[in-house]
Amino acid sequence: MAVLRIVTWGDPILRKKSRPVELSEIDDAFRAWCRDLVETMYEEDGVGLAAVQVGKAIRVLAVDTAYGETNVKDPVVYVNPVLEIEGGLCEDSEGCLSVPGVRGKVVRRESVNISWIDVDGNPHRRENVTGLEARCLQHEMDHLEGVLFVDRLSPAARSLAEGKLRKLARQQGA
Ligand code: ZN
């Protein structure tokens, strides 16, 4: 297994819309790469990681929002996830491995339903996912559309983050 390099703010790939994974692409090499994605998420202390964040613009997410509390690794790899958002709005603080050093409050929906296929190509669906997991899934799904959480900050919070973002972008160019 390998820890992959996380791409950060200023890298244009983070703005790309990720493409679906074809069933014909799901093989041992793909599964091994997904294990690396999961390993990278744990290594970087993330609760979720989108494939595009390690430089592959395909619709794959790794998520484990419970590990911080349980200390038991129970990752889910979502291939071609489809999210339905529901419920009321809720606001909480978010950060992103691709935007290190920046945190801010983002409004999300309280509850989501998600459908996906696993790394063997089998379909799954979960309904009424709430809490941190629902927030994380909405954050990660945004990555697949080239959207970053800082895009969703209030104008005041965004301008507070602006200095750090410029610094990150400069490091990118270096
Ligand atoms: Zn993120």
Side-chain angles (χ1 to χ4, degrees):
M1 278 200 279
V3 173
L4 307 168
R5 192 182 71 85
I6 300 221
V7 298
T8 52
W9 179 266
D11 187 319
I13 198 171
L14 289 172
R15 295 306 188 178
K16 264 186 92 167
K17 188 175 156 80
S18 292
R19 67 162 179 84
V21 176
E22 304 288 339
L23 282 177
S24 61
E25 293 176 78
I26 296 181
D27 56 13
D28 285 345
F30 174 76
R31 281 183 281 273
W33 184 84
C34 288
R35 284 196 294 276
D36 290 345
L37 182 72
V38 166
E39 193 56 32
T40 305
M41 172 181 73
Y42 289 121
E43 184 67 24
E44 302 291 339
D45 288 325
V47 294
L49 189 61
V52 70
Q53 292 182 270
V54 293
K56 238 181 165 67
I58 56 174
R59 300 183 85 80
V60 177
L61 312 174
V63 174
D64 185 351
T65 52
Y67 179 59
E69 282 180 25
T70 61
N71 234 26
V72 176
K73 289 180 179 173
D74 187 20
V76 180
V77 175
Y78 297 89
V79 179
N80 297 343
V82 176
L83 200 71
E84 300 153 28
I85 53 174
E86 26 174 53
L89 299 171
C90 58
E91 191 182 54
D92 207 346
S93 180
E94 290 186 19
C96 178
L97 294 176
S98 293
V99 196
V102 176
R103 291 196 69 85
K105 291 204 164 177
V106 180
V107 175
R108 302 280 187 192
R109 293 288 186 153
E110 281 172 339
S111 167
V112 301
N113 302 327
I114 186 163
S115 305
W116 74 98
I117 57 173
D118 62 25
V119 295
D120 296 308
N122 300 311
H124 298 269
R125 179 174 170 85
R126 284 178 58 205
E127 299 194 337
N128 301 315
V129 178
T130 58
L132 176 61
E133 200 176 8
R135 175 166 293 275
C136 178
L137 287 170
Q138 290 170 81
H139 175 118
E140 300 309 330
M141 287 300 291
D142 271 355
H143 276 299
L144 302 189
E145 303 303 321
V147 174
L148 293 158
F149 84 101
V150 287
D151 305 339
R152 297 187 181 278
L153 295 175
S154 69
R158 171 67 193 242
S159 53
L160 272 177
E162 213 50 64
K164 275 183 184 161
L165 293 177
R166 272 198 298 273
K167 205 172 161 191
L168 283 172
R170 275 201 304 274
Q171 286 166 352
Q172 192 63 50

